[in-house]
Amino acid sequence: MESGGSKRRVVVVGGGIAGSILARSIQFNADLTLIDPKEYLEIKWAQLRSKVEPSFAERAVVNYRDFFINGRIITSTAINITENEVLTADGHHIGYDYLVISTGHSDNVPVSKTERLHYYDAENQKIQSARSILIVGGGPSGVELAGEISTDFPDKKVTLVHKGPRLLEYIGPKASDKGLSLLRSKKVDVKLQQSVDLKSASDGSQLYRTSTGESIKADCHFLCTRVPLSTAWLNETILKTNLDKDGRLKVDEYLRVKGRSNIFAIGDITDVPELKLGHAAVHHAYLVAKNLKLLMGGGKESKMSVYKPGPEVAMVSLGRKHAVAQFPFATLGGRIPGLIKSGDMFVGRTRKNLGLEP
């Protein structure tokens, strides 16, 4: 079993935004190991901008070693958890005193930053060479991609197909309506309550059939449907009874897995009743970092900080200048929310959180 020196051993499984900020925050307070199948953090809310502007990914894809300098990185997948160690697919057994699970969603991405940047170059070439583009899925990813392409490439025919009755169903209908209006103002053809048979164009016809019998001509397509949570592997571990019906880990008010005094969960995989957004994951990371420092310093559990979900705020970018924003007091669409998010996609702020130049 691998272990370190006199400091308490902390293992973080998952290097998304929550896991990365946590690791950076406690790297000098613990004997720390980060486990992730890739070598970099990707700022997720910048992914769609990177497709239309590949150079944007240079700032949004960050090697772990750029900000995590005092600890071990194991580039592998965690496959099991016991009472005192984490096992990885490549055979590592890493002992822990405290464990933090932050595995997010099951994204199939390359291992290295270089490969990831090449991916964005290829995606950009795909967009540039197409005259007509089909986007499948009207959640935040599909809506943002349609906004990005229609803004940067207004001459291209963009069609978005969504099986639900409205776009952006995870937030309120006012925001959905504003998003729909903005997309249509950008000449995006939005088709609701339809699905697409992606195999229908496998004959090279470039004609995709929908569930209502329509045919959509497109030179290429992008599938922007929901990616599953990366928690299925926990069904074979000591935490198998801690998952709810949606595959989320049940946590207490301190973001500890319920019934466990030394295992925490942060980010989208928790059952905290809130919108699963990046700023919530960042708050999770800072709170658990604070609680771990307290515990590792000999503090009492009764002094730990309690997590309280913040106000329900959601923003969806629609190109470089426009966005839809849902606040507790109002829902806005257009240039005002666009000024908040759409220029830099919060990349500079996130890099600052990691101690990097914006």
Side-chain angles (χ1 to χ4, degrees):
M1 182 173 73
E2 299 167 37
S3 62
S6 59
K7 291 181 179 178
R8 306 307 294 272
R9 301 166 301 166
V10 178
V11 175
V12 178
V13 181
I17 190 62
S20 289
I21 285 181
L22 173 73
R24 178 182 179 271
S25 298
I26 66 169
Q27 62 182 317
F28 297 106
N29 304 92
D31 171 28
L32 186 57
T33 302
L34 174 66
I35 302 171
D36 195 272
K38 61 189 187 317
E39 298 171 353
Y40 55 88
L41 161 70
E42 179 159 15
I43 301 172
K44 289 289 186 69
W45 41 92
Q47 286 181 322
L48 303 166
R49 177 65 51 81
S50 296
K51 288 178 185 282
V52 300
E53 184 187 344
S55 60
F56 198 74
E58 290 281 357
R59 292 168 56 239
V61 181
V62 185
N63 282 320
Y64 291 132
R65 280 301 181 211
D66 289 350
F67 58 87
F68 177 46
I69 59 175
N70 192 48
R72 288 177 297 280
I73 298 172
I74 294 180
T75 308
S76 186
T77 303
I79 58 172
N80 197 10
I81 295 168
T82 70
E83 297 289 349
N84 53 23
E85 64 181 10
V86 179
L87 285 66
T88 67
D90 63 352
H92 287 86
H93 290 232
I94 306 102
Y96 68 85
D97 298 303
Y98 295 97
L99 172 64
V100 183
I101 304 170
S102 54
T103 45
H105 293 264
S106 298
D107 292 335
N108 184 19
V109 297
V111 172
S112 73
K113 175 177 177 176
T114 299
E115 292 173 295
R116 191 58 169 163
L117 296 181
H118 286 162
Y119 161 81
Y120 284 118
D121 286 333
E123 290 288 273
N124 183 255
Q125 285 301 312
K126 181 177 168 181
I127 293 169
Q128 293 214 44
S129 61
R131 290 173 297 176
S132 52
I133 297 167
L134 170 64
I135 297 171
V136 181
S141 295
V143 169
E144 287 203 351
L145 183 58
E148 293 290 336
I149 294 174
S150 61
T151 297
D152 278 28
F153 303 96
D155 58 321
K156 298 185 185 299
K157 168 66 174 174
V158 179
T159 303
L160 186 153
V161 179
H162 180 56
K163 67 180 180 181
R166 63 183 178 90
L167 301 176
L168 305 173
E169 291 173 275
Y170 74 107
I171 51 180
K174 284 186 179 180
S176 297
D177 292 344
K178 289 183 184 296
L180 179 61
S181 295
L182 281 166
L183 285 184
R184 285 180 170 163
S185 74
K186 294 174 180 288
K187 305 294 188 289
V188 176
D189 185 6
V190 179
K191 299 179 185 295
L192 299 173
Q193 294 184 290
Q194 297 186 49
S195 57
V196 179
D197 177 9
L198 294 176
K199 295 180 181 178
S200 59
S202 60
D203 59 358
S205 65
Q206 298 178 323
L207 286 174
Y208 295 84
R209 288 193 301 275
T210 76
S211 54
T212 62
E214 284 192 60
S215 291
I216 299 170
K217 187 177 189 307
D219 296 322
C220 66
H221 75 271
F222 293 92
L223 184 61
C224 296
T225 52
R226 184 176 297 176
V227 178
L229 289 170
S230 183
T231 55
W233 65 284
L234 294 171
N235 282 307
E236 306 300 322
T237 75
I238 60 170
L239 301 182
K240 60 186 176 184
T241 61
N242 295 98
L243 295 168
D244 69 10
K245 61 181 178 59
D246 298 315
R248 300 187 191 278
L249 278 169
K250 293 178 275 191
V251 295
D252 64 16
E253 65 269 35
Y254 309 114
L255 298 180
R256 291 184 303 188
V257 175
K258 284 186 175 177
R260 299 280 172 177
S261 62
N262 65 336
I263 302 179
F264 293 79
I266 55 178
D268 289 357
I269 64 169
T270 70
D271 71 337
V272 176
E274 63 185 349
L275 292 178
K276 302 302 181 183
L277 300 172
H279 60 82
V282 170
H283 292 157
H284 290 192
Y286 282 126
L287 181 120
V288 169
K290 183 178 179 181
N291 285 340
L292 282 170
K293 288 175 184 177
L294 174 78
L295 294 172
M296 291 187 294
K300 295 179 180 179
E301 285 191 18
S302 60
K303 298 293 186 182
M304 286 199 299
S305 297
V306 171
Y307 180 73
K308 296 178 181 177
E312 298 266 280
V313 175
M315 286 194 182
V316 179
S317 180
L318 288 150
R320 296 176 186 273
K321 294 182 179 179
H322 298 92
V324 172
Q326 178 178 286
F327 301 104
F329 53 85
T331 299
L332 304 174
R335 286 184 176 267
I336 293 176
L339 288 171
I340 300 172
K341 178 180 181 181
S342 300
D344 189 52
M345 305 296 286
F346 298 139
V347 169
R349 180 190 301 182
T350 306
R351 288 178 61 89
K352 280 186 177 180
N353 284 337
L354 296 166
L356 303 172
E357 288 292 322

